[in-house]
Amino acid sequence: MTHVDRSIEVILAGQHDSGAYVACPTFPTYRYAWLRDGAWCAYALGLYDKWDSAGRFHRFAARCVLDHAELFGASRVVEPPTRYTLDGRIEDPGDEPWPNFQLDGYGTWLWALAEHARTGHPPTGTELDAARLVARYLRENGAASCYDCWEEYGDRRHTATLGSVIAGLTGAAELLSDEDSAIAAAGLRELLGEHVRDGSFVKHDATDGVDASLLWLSTPLRVVPADEPVMVRTAQRIADELTGPTGGVFRYRGDTYYGGGEWVLSTAWLGWYHAETGDMETARARLRWVEEAFTEADELPEQTVDYPQDTEMVVPWVAKWGPVATPLLWSHAMHLVLAAAIPD
Ligand code: BGC
């Protein structure tokens, strides 16, 4: 079986009857369905014509929103969650507080739903009703500070999150023929300028550092063209500052989660950007790194911890939550996306 076939198999096996994709079937803390992870899985499977699976996820996401419609009022009095149980409920794991307010998942879901429609799969009435609620919420709250896609720094405005919200509202404007969402997306675009330092996008509004998730802005969200100087400089900084000792890519400098190793997701995003800008040789090298990260059980982990940034922080995380989450479904999704971007 090829690595690509295996990635498809792992994602399909991780889809619950409800349509939810579990984040990781073997890592107890990740027994939930994140909108972020799921939207990327649906997008990746669409590239391989697995439309039925992608459609089932979108119907699941729409049901989660409509079943909790009271959380999507125009004001941010209550905050919609970033993850749901596999049968669409809201539940917090364990007794420790775990950040659950992250707008990128909702933006990415709307974006993925619009992509699904653009490729000839019109949304159902339920999906449109849910999209309308989410779009209204994002129009009002899209610039609010919230936890980032790594569930950290809840008091900041994150650049990748802003990009996801802009792309989501742009998608909603198309799906719903909704001028208000297009206007809101244009307004949020203006804010992106506040997230540039020295010609490069930065992780959030109060840092000079970069984060691999900044690559989403161009690939695939198309908020900023891949060849625009600020994007070129951002990608260059990510390659220079975040490439680890084995050629994989860190999430950001200073990451300590499981020691902060090289991540499959980040490496695939950078490879995807290279493919997009025509540097197939570097894209292929990143794909090779990702495929070498497959374990003996033929699964992709969340990260590799052979060369962590902070060696002292591996053991405490393993003691707390067990070995690194494997297989991580959205690692497999990003492997699929990168493989699709590189011609044979
Ligand atoms: C990551 C999130 C991800 C979740 C499930 C968290 O540790 O920070 O980005 O959505 O795991 O995969």
Side-chain angles (χ1 to χ4, degrees), residues 23 30 34 36-37 149-151 251 257 302 328 330:
Y30 287 4
W34 270 260
R36 166 191 317 114
D37 301 38
C149 66
W150 310 126
E151 325 210 301
R251 297 192 295 180
Y257 183 53
E302 185 175 53
L328 188 78
W330 72 312

Side-chain angles (χ1 to χ4, degrees), residues 44 68 82 112 123 177 194 210 228 232 264 267 279 313:
H68 302 93
T82 194
S177 306
E194 296 171 18
V210 288
E228 199 160 302
V232 173
V264 172
T267 310
D279 180 358
M313 287 304 287

Side-chain angles (χ1 to χ4, degrees), residues 205-226:
D205 56 350
T207 180
D208 289 342
V210 288
D211 185 292
S213 63
L214 291 168
L215 292 161
W216 302 354
L217 288 171
S218 68
T219 324
L221 300 178
R222 315 260 171 249
V223 171
V224 182

Side-chain angles (χ1 to χ4, degrees), residues 24-108:
C24 174
T26 57
F27 189 79
T29 323
Y30 287 4
R31 63 186 180 276
Y32 297 94
W34 270 260
L35 287 185
R36 166 191 317 114
D37 301 38
W40 288 109
C41 287
Y43 174 74
L45 287 184
L47 298 175
Y48 293 83
D49 287 335
K50 303 290 180 211
W51 299 112
D52 178 56
S53 171
R56 286 175 53 220
F57 167 74
H58 288 305
R59 288 191 289 284
F60 165 77
R63 270 197 313 277
C64 289
V65 170
L66 293 176
D67 286 352
H68 302 93
E70 71 285 0
L71 301 181
F72 294 86
S75 87
R76 193 189 149 180
V77 178
V78 277
E79 297 170 344
T82 194
R83 54 182 174 267
Y84 294 86
T85 60
L86 299 184
D87 54 2
R89 288 172 298 105
I90 299 174
E91 172 188 288
D92 237 343
D95 41 8
E96 60 181 313
W98 194 10
N100 205 359
F101 180 54
Q102 297 147 35
L103 294 177
D104 69 288
Y106 288 99
T108 310

Side-chain angles (χ1 to χ4, degrees), residues 131-264:
R132 205 166 284 116
L133 280 188
V134 172
R136 183 184 63 177
Y137 188 85
L138 293 181
R139 284 199 302 273
E140 298 298 326
N141 302 291
S145 49
C146 67
Y147 289 91
D148 64 10
C149 66
W150 310 126
E151 325 210 301
E152 295 172 333
Y153 305 102
D155 55 348
R156 306 261 69 108
R157 196 176 64 205
H158 301 277
T159 318
T161 301
L162 197 53
S164 309
V165 171
I166 295 168
L169 286 172
T170 307
E174 253 175 71
L175 287 172
L176 303 163
S177 306
D178 166 22
E179 182 72 10
D180 289 347
S181 291
I183 294 170
L188 291 173
R189 226 172 238 279
E190 298 288 309
L191 296 179
L192 276 177
E194 296 171 18
H195 292 240
V196 175
R197 309 270 186 284
D198 194 19
S200 149
F201 286 113
V202 287
K203 180 176 168 72
H204 57 67
D205 56 350
T207 180
D208 289 342
V210 288
D211 185 292
S213 63
L214 291 168
L215 292 161
W216 302 354
L217 288 171
S218 68
T219 324
L221 300 178
R222 315 260 171 249
V223 171
V224 182
D227 58 358
E228 199 160 302
V230 62
M231 207 57 229
V232 173
R233 166 108 180 98
T234 306
Q236 191 59 52
R237 278 195 65 190
I238 290 169
D240 293 348
E241 297 173 29
L242 301 186
T243 298
T246 73
V249 178
F250 296 128
R251 297 192 295 180
Y252 59 90
R253 281 280 160 194
D255 183 8
T256 60
Y257 183 53
Y258 281 84
E262 294 156 284
W263 277 54
V264 172

